[in-house]
Amino acid sequence: MIRIENLSKDYKTKTGLVTGVDNVTLTINEGEIFGIVGYSGAGKSSLLRCMNLLEQPTSGDIEVDGLNLTHLRGEKLRQARLKIGMIFQHFYLISQKTVGENVAFALKAAKRPKEESAKRVDELLDMVGLADKKDVYPAQLSGGQKQRVGIARALANNPSVLLCDEATSALDPNTTLSILRLLKKINRELNITIVLITHEMNVVKEICDRMAVMQDGKVIEEGEVYDIFSDPKTDLTKEFISSVVSFDVPQPILDACTGSIIKVQFKGAVAGEGVITDTVQHFDVKGNFLHGTIEYIQEKPLGLFLMEIEGQPDNIRRAITYMEGRGAKVEVIQNGI
């Protein structure tokens, strides 16, 4: 478990102090994948680097597995950091060393015996799917392969926590997906807590259990990924979600609609039921779909539909009430009643 309490980080600049992290309190549960989302400058990377004290917090506490890192110095802090692996956006591999030597470097820094290190390198490269790349150099690898080496290196000393700083931002979509699936596999098989910094909601949607949204150094929203996707509270979160689930319909089409335009959302098992079909049949209204999708988040369906509904005003009202009674969330976008 990671417990962050009242954490702040200030930076000295020529124009004065700038606050990168502003009084953040978070709890990240053991064995979960936790996403931290925000635009550039939101403070998310500063927060991540404070978690293993690469950045010394200005105030507040960081506790990992019951150990308060902010109270540690010297050798005790170094030993604690061995249990916190880190993956970077730009890989940071040593170009003059082979893949195997890059992974072994982390073990050498921890003063592991050579024979033990050699065996561990083989295990790690097999785990990340690079057993055949042990003797090649980073320049011979693709971006995805380089990141797999970075993951193997981060896992070298059996960490309980893995920190990922924009680990997929430099990768193409297909490679990103393969890396995310590898991280999820590592999380489930090794029960490693993963904290993932990103500005891409697709990344969060793919593998995260819970998430936090940051703006101006503060956490402005946090919770289960499914709950936040289905019911975002802040404008910024809604903006991020719209990048994944878009309801953009050309204005001329909306202008041509003579009925009411409604946005209908179904959560969980209800998303797979024929609620809209039943509504149209039972209440003598006509439905015209403008946009629709069923997203799967944490393997649970979230149905999102935009539709025009036409009919007598009383029938439309009763139809909306019926859908809400069946578990739908209905928002009237344009009232044609």
Side-chain angles (χ1 to χ4, degrees), residues 20 46 71 78 160 213 268 332:
S46 293
H71 294 172
R78 193 184 73 82
S160 60
V213 181
V332 178

Coordinates of all heavy atoms in Angstrom, one line a residue, residues 20 46 71 78 160 213 268 332:
G20 N 4.5 22.6 -7.4 CA 4.2 21.5 -8.4 C 3.2 20.5 -7.9 O 2.4 20.0 -8.6
S46 N 5.7 15.1 -10.9 CA 6.3 15.5 -9.7 C 5.9 14.6 -8.5 O 6.6 14.2 -7.7 CB 6.0 17.0 -9.4 OG 6.6 17.8 -10.4
H71 N 11.1 9.9 6.3 CA 11.9 9.9 7.5 C 13.2 9.1 7.3 O 14.0 9.1 8.3 CB 11.1 9.2 8.6 CG 9.9 9.9 9.0 ND1 8.9 9.4 9.9 CD2 9.4 11.2 8.7 CE1 8.0 10.3 10.1 NE2 8.2 11.4 9.3
R78 N 18.1 4.0 0.5 CA 18.6 3.3 -0.6 C 18.0 1.9 -0.6 O 17.5 1.4 -1.7 CB 20.1 3.2 -0.7 CG 20.6 2.7 -2.0 CD 22.1 2.5 -2.0 NE 22.5 1.3 -1.2 CZ 22.5 0.1 -1.7 NH1 22.2 -0.1 -2.9 NH2 22.9 -0.9 -0.9
S160 N 7.9 -4.3 -4.7 CA 6.4 -4.4 -4.4 C 5.6 -3.4 -5.1 O 4.4 -3.4 -5.2 CB 6.2 -4.3 -2.9 OG 6.7 -3.1 -2.4
V213 N -7.5 12.4 -11.0 CA -7.3 13.4 -12.0 C -6.6 14.6 -11.3 O -7.1 15.1 -10.2 CB -8.6 13.8 -12.6 CG1 -8.4 14.9 -13.7 CG2 -9.3 12.6 -13.2
G268 N -23.4 -1.2 -16.2 CA -23.4 -2.6 -15.8 C -24.3 -3.5 -16.8 O -24.4 -3.3 -18.0
V332 N -31.7 15.3 -21.2 CA -32.3 16.0 -22.3 C -31.4 17.0 -22.9 O -31.1 18.0 -22.2 CB -33.7 16.6 -22.0 CG1 -34.3 17.3 -23.2 CG2 -34.6 15.5 -21.5

